[in-house]
């Protein structure tokens, strides 16, 4: 079989990849990887970078370049056949990872290199790779007994299967619910753009009328604008009960994540204890900036104490507004966004729908590129001739000021069926340099914005603009790296609670007048964003900032506590824990049927288990980093080059705190975060 996953192509051959290619390719590459490890270990005691680490990196790079497009397609173009092929490979990849992590001979070889006279001559990145590897061997159970190693392997296999199942259940439950409305009056209050999207969704299914769904743009439009209280409630319930034991999808119990979540928590706890940690929260911190759970809890609770009063005042103000202006008494969860939008319009004369008119993707994207060109001296151009996987996908190249190719990226912006929700950046190809030949880094940048309708460009909310900047910040971290070794190039090897620094850092430009001039213009007339509208946006910037902070702290504390406090005899106690956290920090009501955790993919299927606090910690770093631009000018070339050289180009080659101090001249403090959120310390 001429397998496109086994061809050493520069970029994925998406149009040729079929589900039947996946398992044979992964089998072949895993066999090759095992053979290379065995061969390199035969040198005995004469280990070196060139004779051990380089060949292993070569073969694992081939494996990554084959698996990456499979994983990407499973997320953005899911099908039963591809899902089956993907899931068939998960235990095989898990087994390989466990074998390598528990290979005593390989561990001893790394240890010998670390103790050799050659080690001192290695550059900083090489030394970091070896130190990270020795740490990871221990986190993979290198010191366990044979029986414990076998159990570790079983846990790893099960976790890979259950985390994949969690994500599949969320995707399937999201796709399982939709509602066709035959009278436009049923959707009174929705703006024209949302109505056009609902009509387009119905037409795509051969229906007449307006189709709403659990795709996030559709859900958000109903929650924000729909006048019909009952429809808002119905839509809200369907959304917050996805993949759970409640709500309209529950009759199909195949989607219920309840047992999946319990199993994931139990397995992670058992894994942590096998490795000598009290709980999974402790294990999670082994690869983060924070040293112990007490530090994380103290950080979150301090932030909660500083922001809770403002959050409560925000909510009281909203209730009073709804009562005074609409004679509406007790707010339910499906009323919050609806009355918040009305209050925003009343208080600031600011309509999100009006703002959207000035952020067509045809202006935002070139403007984003212009901003990074100004900051870092880059040129970004679109490439039309590339092997694509979907009509929505676009492809770009980044060159530096000397014309050198620095990176390439796929951009997939719009929500659709069979595509995972949310927004993310992922690693397609990592930078590495072998024999003076650089492997160009490639990224996937994925969002779920409302697609264009009726021949008009997609119009983004300001929140969506911010999301695009956020993901692009991740992309720059991956693509601009100048580290030559894949283990610590780009986002690899970066402490997880620092990995959000470049992404949250980029969000700041979405609020600066100079930058907004580049990314905004009316989609029909081309007129610039009026000063009056900009002033309203700035005035409303911290509208309900206390409530938003409290919600993020609720997620962070819940995540950390379910992993820190897990007790095998009592089970996950997921909603007991969530209720306790809410009693501490939440100010908004929660519906009794709310099953938010059942679709919290970040902590059950993603990399944020006992690490969701990273968003808040990285916001401290990003706010403090941006404050230097506030002092020197948001397009100050010297400051931009300093951030490029000290943060973006260094990847994981040095400790994140060390790199931050090199850029900022001191350790971070929380003041800028509070100031940017309008919260008094």
């Amino acid at each position: 079989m001429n397998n496109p996953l086994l061809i050493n192509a520069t970029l994925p051959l998406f149009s040729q990849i079929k589900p039947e290619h996946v398992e044979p390719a992964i089998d072949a590459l895993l066999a090759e990887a095992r053979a290379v490890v065995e061969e390199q270990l035969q040198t005995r005691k004469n280990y070196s970078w060139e004779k051990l680490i380089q060949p292993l990196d070569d073969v694992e790079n081939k494996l990554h370049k084959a698996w990456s497009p499979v994983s990407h397609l499973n997320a953005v173009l899911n099908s039963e056949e591809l899902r089956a092929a993907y899931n068939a490979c998960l235990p095989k990849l898990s087994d390989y990872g466990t074998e390598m992590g528990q290979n005593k001979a390989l561990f001893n070889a790394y240890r010998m290199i670390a103790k050799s006279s050659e080690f001192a001559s290695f550059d900083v990145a090489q030394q970091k790779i070896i130190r990270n590897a020795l740490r990871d061997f221990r986190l993979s159970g290198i010191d366990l007994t044979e029986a414990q190693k076998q159990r570790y392997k079983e846990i790893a296999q099960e976790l890979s299967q259950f985390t994949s199942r969690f994500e599949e259940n969320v995707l399937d439950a999201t796709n399982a619910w939709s509602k066709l409305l035959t009278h436009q009056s049923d959707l009174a209050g929705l703006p024209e753009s949302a109505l056009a999207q609902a009509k387009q969704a119905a037409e795509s299914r051969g229906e007449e009328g307006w189709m709403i769904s659990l795709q996030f743009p559709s859900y958000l439009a109903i929650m924000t604008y729909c006048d019909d209280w009952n429809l808002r409630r119905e839509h809200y319930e369907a959304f917050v009960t996805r993949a759970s034991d409640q709500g309209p999808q529950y009759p199909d119990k195949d989607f219920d994540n309840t047992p999946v979540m319990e199993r994931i928590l139990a397995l992670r706890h058992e894994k942590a204890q096998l490795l000598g940690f009290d709980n999974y929260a402790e294990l999670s911190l082994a690869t983060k900036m924070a040293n112990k759970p007490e530090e994380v809890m103290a950080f979150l609770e301090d932030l909660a104490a500083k922001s809770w009063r403002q959050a409560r005042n925000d909510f009281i103000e909203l209730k009073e507004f709804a009562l005074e202006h609409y004679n509406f008494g007790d707010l339910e969860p499906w009323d919050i966004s609806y009355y918040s939008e009305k209050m925003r319009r009343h208080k600031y004369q600011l309509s999100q729908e009006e703002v959207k008119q000035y952020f067509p993707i045809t202006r935002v994207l070139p403007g984003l590129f212009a901003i990074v060109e100004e900051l870092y001296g880059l040129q970004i151009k679109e490439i039309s001739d590339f092997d694509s996987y979907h009509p929505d996908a676009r492809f770009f190249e980044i060159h530096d000021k000397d014309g050198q190719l620095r990176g390439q990226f796929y951009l997939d912006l719009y929500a659709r069926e069979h595509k995972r929700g949310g927004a993310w950046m992922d690693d397609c190809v990592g930078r590495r340099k072998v024999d003076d030949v650089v492997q160009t880094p490639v990224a996937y940048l994925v969002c779920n914005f409302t697609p264009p309708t009726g021949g008009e460009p997609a119009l983004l909310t300001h929140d969506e603009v911010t999301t695009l900047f956020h993901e692009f910040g991740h992309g720059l971290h991956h693509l601009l790296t100048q580290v030559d070794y894949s283990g610590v190039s780009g986002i690899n090897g970066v402490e997880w609670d620092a990995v959000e620094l470049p992404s949250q850092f980029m969000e700041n430009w979405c609020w600066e007048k100079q930058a907004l001039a580049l990314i905004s213009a009316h989609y029909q007339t081309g007129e610039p964003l009026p000063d009056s509208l900009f002033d309203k946006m700035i005035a409303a910037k911290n509208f309900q900032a206390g409530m938003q902070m409290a919600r993020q702290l609720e997620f962070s504390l819940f995540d950390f506590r379910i992993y820190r406090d897990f007790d095998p005899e009592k089970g996950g106690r997921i909603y007991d824990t969530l209720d306790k956290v809410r009693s501490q920090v939440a100010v908004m009501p929660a519906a009794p049927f709310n099953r938010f955790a059942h679709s919290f993919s970040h902590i059950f299927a993603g990399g944020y288990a006992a690490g969701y606090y990273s968003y808040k910690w990285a916001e401290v770093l990003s706010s403090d980093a941006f404050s230097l631009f506030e002092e020197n000018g948001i397009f100050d070339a010297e400051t931009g080059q300093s951030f490029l050289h000290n943060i973006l180009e260094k990847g994981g080659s040095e400790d994140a705190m060390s790199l931050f101090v090199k850029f900022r001249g001191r350790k971070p403090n929380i003041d800028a975060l509070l100031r940017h959120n309008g919260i008094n310390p």
Side-chain angles (χ1 to χ4, degrees):
M1 181 165 57
N2 187 20
N3 194 321
L5 294 171
L6 293 175
I7 296 171
N8 188 25
T10 307
L11 295 168
L13 302 172
F14 283 120
S15 63
Q16 300 177 36
I17 298 171
K18 303 287 188 292
E20 58 266 27
H21 294 136
V22 176
E23 208 170 349
I26 297 305
D27 285 344
L29 290 167
L30 288 174
E32 181 184 353
R34 288 182 170 101
V36 167
V37 171
E38 199 57 42
E39 180 186 348
Q40 299 308 316
L41 289 174
Q42 296 307 313
T43 58
R44 311 285 179 200
K45 299 188 180 179
N46 188 25
Y47 299 120
S48 66
W49 187 274
E50 292 74 18
K51 292 180 181 176
L52 180 73
I53 298 172
Q54 185 73 60
L56 296 188
D57 192 58
D58 291 343
V59 75
E60 295 209 342
N61 182 60
K62 287 173 68 175
L63 178 61
H64 173 78
K65 286 177 71 176
W67 182 243
S68 166
V70 174
S71 181
H72 180 66
L73 289 173
N74 189 58
V76 298
L77 214 63
N78 194 273
S79 68
E80 283 187 27
E81 297 79 13
L82 181 59
R83 180 183 292 188
Y86 175 85
N87 284 331
C89 292
L90 288 179
K92 299 178 181 187
L93 291 162
S94 174
D95 280 355
Y96 171 75
T98 302
E99 279 176 36
M100 293 303 107
Q102 294 182 354
N103 188 319
K104 202 80 173 178
L106 189 58
F107 169 63
N108 288 333
Y110 268 85
R111 199 161 53 173
M112 288 175 71
I113 293 173
K115 291 180 177 178
S116 70
S117 56
E118 182 189 18
F119 186 76
S121 67
F122 288 169
D123 63 32
V124 169
Q126 289 174 298
Q127 291 185 3
K128 186 77 158 35
I129 284 172
I130 291 170
R131 284 197 300 271
N132 285 355
L134 293 174
R135 174 202 67 197
D136 292 344
F137 275 115
R138 293 191 170 90
L139 295 179
S140 296
I142 194 72
D143 298 322
L144 301 179
T145 65
E146 288 308 311
Q148 289 172 325
K149 285 181 179 177
Q150 178 58 32
R151 181 58 193 144
Y152 182 101
K153 179 179 177 180
E154 292 165 0
I155 290 170
Q157 268 196 357
E158 252 194 289
L159 273 172
S160 71
Q161 292 165 344
F162 273 98
T163 54
S164 179
R165 179 67 181 275
F166 184 97
E167 193 68 75
E168 288 169 4
N169 285 344
V170 175
L171 178 62
D172 290 344
T174 300
N175 288 333
W177 188 94
S178 60
K179 187 178 181 72
L180 182 68
L181 299 160
T182 53
H183 301 287
Q184 185 172 330
S185 57
D186 294 333
L187 293 170
L190 261 68
E192 284 301 319
S193 60
L195 288 169
Q197 182 53 41
K199 196 165 191 61
Q200 184 171 289
E203 289 169 356
S204 71
R205 298 194 195 182
E207 303 277 6
E208 288 190 17
W210 294 263
M211 181 78 74
I212 60 174
S213 71
L214 299 184
Q215 301 296 335
F216 194 73
S218 177
Y219 169 74
L220 186 64
I222 297 296
M223 288 301 104
T224 308
Y225 300 109
C226 184
D227 293 337
D228 187 328
W229 186 92
N230 289 306
L231 184 56
R232 288 205 312 271
R233 187 198 186 284
E234 181 183 357
H235 204 166
Y236 175 85
E237 182 178 3
F239 189 82
V240 301
T241 58
R242 287 175 301 156
S244 81
D245 58 350
Q246 299 283 317
Q249 298 102 313
Y250 183 59
D252 189 341
K253 295 181 174 62
D254 287 347
F255 300 160
D256 184 8
N257 268 332
T258 303
V260 179
M261 296 155 71
E262 288 287 343
R263 193 66 187 137
I264 289 170
L265 287 170
L267 288 167
R268 284 177 170 157
H269 183 78
E270 185 182 355
K271 175 182 174 180
Q273 294 212 313
L274 260 182
L275 295 172
F277 297 95
D278 285 344
N279 51 64
Y280 188 79
E282 285 188 3
L283 170 56
S284 168
L285 296 186
T287 54
K288 295 182 173 65
M289 292 175 75
N291 293 311
K292 51 190 178 182
E294 292 78 13
E295 288 181 17
V296 174
M297 291 299 294
F299 165 67
L300 293 174
E301 288 175 345
D302 179 50
L303 205 47
K306 287 182 166 71
S307 54
W308 183 84
R309 189 179 301 279
Q310 183 163 330
R312 185 188 62 175
N313 291 341
D314 286 346
F315 186 59
I316 291 171
E317 189 180 10
L318 180 64
K319 288 176 69 175
E320 290 174 346
F321 170 83
L323 187 60
E324 179 184 348
H325 294 272
Y326 294 90
N327 197 29
F328 193 87
D330 293 332
L331 293 178
E332 298 287 359
W334 49 94
D335 300 320
I336 303 298
S337 295
Y338 179 75
Y339 285 106
S340 291
E341 174 62 13
K342 291 190 177 304
M343 182 175 168
R344 188 202 313 269
R345 294 184 70 164
H346 174 82
K347 193 170 182 179
Y348 305 104
Q349 290 75 54
L350 180 66
S351 157
Q352 295 284 27
E353 196 60 23
E354 181 188 2
V355 171
K356 280 174 64 174
Q357 314 300 308
Y358 290 90
F359 290 102
I361 190 64
T362 48
R363 177 72 176 181
V364 174
L365 199 59
L368 166 58
F369 296 164
I371 287 169
V372 298
E373 287 166 13
E374 184 85 14
L375 282 172
Y376 307 124
L378 304 171
Q379 288 87 43
I380 301 173
K381 66 175 183 178
E382 184 163 10
I383 306 297
S384 56
D385 184 15
F386 71 103
D387 193 334
S388 184
Y389 57 88
H390 189 275
D392 285 352
R394 300 168 67 180
F395 189 69
F396 298 83
E397 290 186 346
I398 301 180
H399 291 80
D400 63 20
K401 59 181 182 291
D402 299 320
Q404 180 184 346
L405 178 64
R406 293 290 289 268
Q408 302 168 310
F409 60 94
Y410 297 89
L411 190 67
D412 187 347
L413 291 176
Y414 305 118
R416 58 178 177 266
E417 281 193 308
H418 309 298
K419 178 181 178 183
R420 196 176 96 202
W424 67 90
M425 187 285 294
D426 205 359
D427 170 355
C428 175
V429 179
R431 178 189 160 101
R432 61 198 295 267
K433 187 176 180 180
V434 181
D435 297 328
D436 291 327
V437 177
V438 172
Q439 177 172 276
T440 302
V442 185
Y444 306 114
L445 298 175
V446 184
C447 298
N448 272 277
F449 300 150
T450 304
T453 53
E456 302 285 8
L459 303 179
L460 306 189
T461 66
H462 192 258
D463 282 347
E464 288 176 327
V465 173
T466 305
T467 295
L468 179 60
F469 272 64
H470 179 103
E471 300 308 333
F472 202 75
H474 279 309
L476 292 176
H477 201 191
H478 176 64
L479 299 171
L480 298 183
T481 185
Q482 289 293 279
V483 179
D484 292 334
Y485 312 100
S486 58
V488 290
S489 73
I491 60 172
N492 293 329
V494 178
E495 294 98 318
W496 201 253
D497 44 1
V499 82
E500 295 294 335
L501 163 58
S503 54
Q504 294 186 332
F505 172 76
M506 276 302 299
E507 294 180 22
N508 290 286
W509 274 265
C510 299
W511 293 101
E512 295 293 329
K513 192 169 187 177
Q514 282 177 272
L516 283 164
L518 297 172
I519 62 173
S520 63
H522 195 277
Y523 80 103
Q524 290 175 322
T525 66
E527 70 170 291
L529 185 76
D531 287 346
S532 58
L533 188 54
F534 170 73
D535 291 342
K536 292 175 190 176
M537 289 171 64
I538 293 301
K541 179 187 177 203
N542 291 319
F543 175 61
Q544 297 182 341
M547 279 167 58
Q548 292 169 25
M549 178 75 78
R551 187 152 172 75
Q552 284 297 306
L553 290 170
E554 176 186 317
F555 297 166
S556 300
L557 284 163
F558 163 67
D559 161 54
F560 207 74
R561 286 186 57 176
I562 58 169
Y563 284 107
R564 186 196 66 176
D565 301 340
F566 182 81
D567 182 341
E569 294 182 4
K570 297 178 181 176
R573 296 169 293 163
I574 291 167
Y575 286 94
D576 286 347
T577 303
L578 185 53
D579 287 344
K580 287 175 183 172
V581 169
R582 282 174 172 158
S583 70
Q584 177 187 356
V585 299
V587 295
M588 293 183 285
F593 54 75
N594 185 298
R595 291 295 181 269
F596 149 75
H598 280 73
S599 58
F600 197 179
S601 296
H602 277 77
I603 71 166
F604 287 109
Y608 286 87
Y612 197 81
Y613 77 88
S614 301
Y615 282 102
K616 279 296 147 203
W617 173 242
E619 202 176 334
V620 171
L621 301 177
S622 64
S623 294
D624 203 8
F626 184 68
S627 67
L628 190 58
F629 283 88
E630 290 178 310
E631 293 169 16
N632 298 335
I634 67 159
F635 287 121
D636 181 66
E638 187 177 340
T639 312
Q641 288 299 303
S642 176
F643 192 81
L644 173 66
H645 298 320
N646 288 308
I647 306 292
L648 298 176
E649 291 183 344
K650 292 294 173 62
S653 62
E654 297 179 48
D655 290 340
M657 184 61 79
S658 171
L659 293 175
F660 182 90
V661 170
K662 284 181 181 178
F663 169 70
R664 194 65 184 87
R666 56 165 173 74
K667 289 189 174 183
N669 68 53
I670 202 170
D671 294 350
L673 168 67
L674 296 173
R675 176 167 53 81
H676 288 163
N677 282 275
I679 295 171
N680 295 319

